[in-house]
């Protein structure tokens, strides 16, 4: 069985220690991934630091050129990327193709942004003084990415950091390291200088501890659960290490009776069931205005029941396996908890009768009490929790009653209402009649316990730049 390499200081390195990678659709081991200990991570940070001393002084244009070459390599191999994502993550192949295309677009966006690390000149308040604001790359970055969008969420960090003039050591999720190996091969083929990008894998706690403790690592950028985010915040205190955190979400959907109903149904379906519900911006709580609830559910539930469940490689599949059978167990617990508290099951609610044990029937529950587990914590599966409201004020209060604040979705044709909601909802991203708001050129991130900072947009580059003020006295 193939052992996939790490990427250390310009070399693809196969190690003797390995970890199996499973196909979630079958539970079968499909590859072995090389792993390393904390000592190798420390060496990688040292190499990244050496590379930084040169990389930081390159022009934005030349850094952008490297990102464009990586994008071109990825484009040449995009079908291979898509198949690897489906193999290790399980998502339907069409969605893996979409993830690969978005990743290439991120590289191209940051290739352009690399030229735009603008400072500014401030008019003086005292005679003879001049004030300059300079932007400089923060230094070596430790990047940690999750399994649910294993390629795009890793490259979102790497491309922005490289564009800013930083060097990066990436630790992908243990379940899904293979697409990061393919990415490393593309970086290598594009001719990146040694040490500018490196890939490590192994015990998360050890790698995270080295990123936190090693003074050469100047920033950690993390996407994953709020629980691990909290641990990183605690660990960062000693070294006052800057963190960017993209954490969990619990996104509400608000459907008003003035909405275009078919659009609201399409948008809610995609916001909930894309990536088999395993998305940080997935719709977790669906609130329907009582006057349109019956019509919405009459259209929505048959569409959910019609979603084709199966292995991601099978044509027409829209719902793949969850990441492992334990994730189905957790979703079933949330469904049972909601039912015990009085919720009504409209469809689904069972493990799908397919081999492997990681498939869940797409599910809809209504009348779910606010205390139900799935109304408070991410179910991270294809489960809709539907509730009802009467007034706009009630809808806003329900939507904001969460410790998370990543995304929110609103369906209405009233422009005044849309503006009131954009301004009132406590979320970093708001889709108005749009179930798919993410794009390379707009900021991505959350408020409250959904994280710190933003990726993508102009903010994405900013996250890897330091701001310096230089004050000059001139004669
Ligand atoms: P996770 O368990 O927090 O893992 C995320 C990454 O952190 C993985 O690479 C993991 O490594 C690593 N990790 C685990 N423990 C660590 C530690 N003590 N120190 C340093 N790193 C550690 O999250 P997940 O289950 O992969 O992803 C799902 C979660 O991510 C959900 O909560 C979802 O909402 C959130 N998410 C947020 C966004 C966003 O943009 N806001 C996007 C996607 C996902 P191992 O795999 O080796 O354990």
């Amino acid at each position: 069985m193939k052992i996939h390499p790490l990427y250390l200081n310009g070399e693809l390195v196969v190690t003797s220690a390995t970890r199996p990678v499973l196909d979630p659709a079958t539970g079968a081991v499909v590859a072995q991934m090389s792993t390393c200990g904390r000592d190798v991570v420390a060496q990688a940070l040292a190499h990244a630091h050496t590379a930084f001393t040169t990389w930081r002084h390159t022009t934005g244009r030349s850094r952008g050129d490297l990102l464009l070459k990586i994008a071109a390599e990825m484009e040449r191999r995009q079908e291979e990327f898509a198949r690897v994502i489906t193999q290790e993550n399980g998502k339907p192949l069409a969605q893996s193709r979409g993830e690969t295309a978005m990743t290439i677009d991120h590289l191209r966006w940051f290739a352009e942004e690399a030229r735009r690390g603008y400072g500014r000149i401030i008019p003086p308040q005292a005679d003879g003084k001049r004030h300059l604001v300079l932007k400089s790359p923060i230094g070596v970055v430790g990047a940690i990415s999750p399994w649910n969008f294993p390629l795009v969420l890793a490259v979102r960090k790497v491309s922005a950091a490289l564009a800013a003039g930083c060097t990066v050591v990436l630790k992908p999720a243990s379940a899904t390291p293979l697409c990061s190996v393919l990415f490393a091969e593309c970086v290598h083929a594009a001719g990146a200088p040694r040490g500018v990008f490196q890939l490590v894998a192994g015990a998360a706690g050890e790698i995270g501890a080295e990123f936190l403790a090693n003074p050469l690592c100047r920033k950690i950028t993390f996407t994953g659960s709020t629980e691990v985010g909290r641990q990183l915040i605690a660990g960062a205190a000693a070294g006052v290490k800057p963190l960017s955190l993209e954490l969990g979400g619990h996104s509400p959907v608000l459907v008003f009776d003035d909405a275009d109903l078919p659009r609201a149904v399409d948008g809610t379906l995609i916001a909930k069931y894309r990536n088999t519900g395993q998305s940080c911006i997935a719709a977790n709580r669906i609130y329907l205005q009582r006057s349109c609830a019956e019509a919405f559910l009459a259209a929505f539930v048959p569409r959910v029941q019609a979603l084709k469940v199966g292995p991601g490689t099978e044509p027409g599949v829209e719902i793949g396996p969850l990441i492992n059978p334990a994730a189905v167990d957790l979703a079933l617990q949330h469904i049972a908890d909601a039912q015990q508290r009085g919720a009504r099951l409209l469809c689904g609610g069972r493990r799908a009768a397919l081999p492997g044990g990681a498939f869940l029937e797409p599910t809809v529950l209504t009348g779910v009490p606010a205390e139900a587990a799935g109304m408070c914590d991410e179910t991270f599966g294809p489960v809709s929790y539907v509730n009802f409201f009467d007034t706009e004020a009630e809808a806003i209060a329900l939507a904001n009653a969460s410790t998370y604040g990543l995304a929110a979705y609103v369906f209405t044709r009233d422009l005044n209402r849309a503006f009131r909601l954009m301004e009132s909802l406590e979320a970093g991203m708001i889709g108005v009649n749009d179930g798919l708001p993410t794009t390379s050129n707009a900021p991505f991130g959350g408020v409250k316990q959904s994280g710190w900072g933003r990726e993508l947009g102009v903010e994405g580059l900013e996250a890897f730049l330091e701001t310096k003020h230089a004050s000059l006295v001139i004669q």
Side-chain angles (χ1 to χ4, degrees):
M1 184 166 290
K2 184 165 178 189
I3 303 178
H4 292 259
L6 307 176
Y7 187 53
L8 301 170
N9 203 27
E11 313 279 344
L12 291 154
V13 180
V14 170
T15 60
S16 52
T18 62
R19 207 167 166 146
V21 180
L22 310 184
D23 176 350
T26 59
V29 176
V30 290
Q32 295 287 338
M33 178 66 196
S34 296
T35 59
C36 63
R38 199 167 159 169
D39 52 333
V40 172
V41 179
Q43 273 167 24
L45 292 170
H47 290 310
H49 178 68
T50 304
F52 177 64
T53 56
T54 312
W55 184 246
R56 66 177 302 175
H57 297 301
T58 55
T59 62
R61 182 175 174 158
S62 67
R63 295 195 296 271
D65 284 346
L66 176 68
L67 297 182
L68 292 176
K69 283 186 194 148
I70 300 170
E73 272 302 311
M74 288 190 67
E75 200 156 48
R76 201 174 60 74
R77 299 176 68 180
Q78 57 184 312
E79 188 58 20
E80 197 183 341
F81 269 98
R83 290 195 177 272
V84 166
I85 293 172
T86 292
Q87 186 178 47
E88 62 183 347
N89 166 283
K91 70 181 68 182
L93 197 50
Q95 295 184 26
S96 297
R97 291 190 181 117
E99 180 171 345
T100 306
M102 183 176 247
T103 307
I104 293 168
D105 194 59
H106 286 358
L107 283 157
R108 295 198 169 129
W109 168 255
F110 283 113
E112 294 164 14
E113 284 302 285
R115 302 192 200 199
R116 301 194 186 108
Y118 299 133
R120 66 188 196 277
I121 297 175
I122 300 172
Q125 305 223 60
D127 282 345
K129 283 211 177 194
R130 299 290 184 273
H131 301 284
L132 274 64
V133 177
L134 308 171
K135 296 284 178 176
S136 49
I138 195 163
V140 174
V141 172
I144 303 175
S145 55
W147 53 262
N148 63 336
F149 288 89
L151 181 66
V152 78
L153 296 179
V155 176
R156 193 172 284 185
K157 300 174 179 314
V158 174
S159 52
L162 294 182
C166 298
T167 55
V168 189
V169 178
L170 169 68
K171 181 243 170 283
S174 295
T176 54
L178 304 184
C179 56
S180 294
V181 176
L182 280 190
F183 177 73
E185 288 174 8
C186 291
V187 172
H188 190 69
R194 256 167 205 278
V196 159
F197 167 76
Q198 296 174 87
L199 174 68
V200 297
E206 272 188 44
I207 297 172
E210 187 59 31
F211 285 173
L212 285 167
N214 192 319
L216 295 179
C217 177
R218 301 297 291 272
K219 171 154 191 166
I220 297 176
T221 171
F222 169 81
T223 300
S225 60
T226 296
E227 192 186 321
V228 174
R230 271 192 209 102
Q231 291 172 25
L232 291 173
I233 292 169
V240 194
K241 189 145 302 191
L243 299 173
S244 282
L245 300 172
E246 296 286 347
L247 307 178
H250 208 274
S251 306
V253 177
L254 305 179
V255 180
F256 289 87
D257 61 7
D258 58 23
D260 174 329
L261 204 70
R263 185 183 283 268
V265 169
D266 285 348
T268 307
L269 262 183
I270 200 156
K272 174 68 256 181
Y273 294 99
R274 183 175 66 109
N275 209 29
T276 312
Q278 301 170 113
S279 163
C280 55
I281 59 168
N284 275 276
R285 295 167 288 140
I286 300 168
Y287 298 109
L288 308 176
Q289 195 157 26
R290 219 173 293 272
S291 36
C292 68
E294 203 178 317
F296 179 95
L297 287 170
F300 183 70
V301 175
R303 292 278 300 277
V304 174
Q305 284 171 311
L307 291 169
K308 186 174 172 191
V309 183
T313 45
E314 208 174 289
V317 159
E318 292 155 296
I319 299 286
L322 297 195
I323 190 67
N324 51 40
V328 180
D329 296 343
L330 180 69
L332 289 171
Q333 276 171 31
H334 281 194
I335 293 167
D337 176 74
Q339 286 181 289
Q340 275 156 23
R341 292 172 192 270
R344 231 177 97 219
L345 184 71
L346 298 191
C347 67
R350 292 174 308 183
R351 198 184 296 269
L354 287 163
F359 295 89
L360 180 67
E361 291 176 349
T363 299
V364 180
L365 293 144
T366 58
V368 193
E371 317 72 59
M375 292 290 286
C376 309
D377 302 323
E378 293 172 289
T379 296
F380 236 56
V383 183
S384 289
Y385 302 100
V386 180
N387 279 313
F388 311 102
F389 65 90
D390 291 302
T391 65
E392 184 181 309
E394 192 188 349
I396 293 170
L398 287 167
N400 288 344
S402 170
T403 54
Y404 295 106
L406 195 53
Y409 303 90
V410 175
F411 292 91
T412 177
R413 275 187 290 206
D414 179 339
L415 188 60
N416 296 305
R417 169 172 279 157
F419 266 88
R420 287 194 297 273
L421 287 156
M422 284 186 263
E423 289 165 7
S424 310
L425 291 174
E426 295 169 354
M429 292 162 282
I430 300 176
V432 179
N433 301 319
D434 184 1
L436 209 54
T438 309
T439 171
S440 301
N441 51 338
F444 186 102
V447 303
K448 302 202 277 189
Q449 293 187 26
S450 288
W452 290 349
R454 293 291 180 273
E455 297 189 309
L456 304 180
V458 295
E459 290 83 354
L461 189 77
E462 199 59 40
F464 296 103
L465 294 171
E466 290 282 22
T467 301
K468 272 185 211 161
H469 165 216
S471 178
L472 284 74
V473 174
I474 58 163
Q475 302 297 316

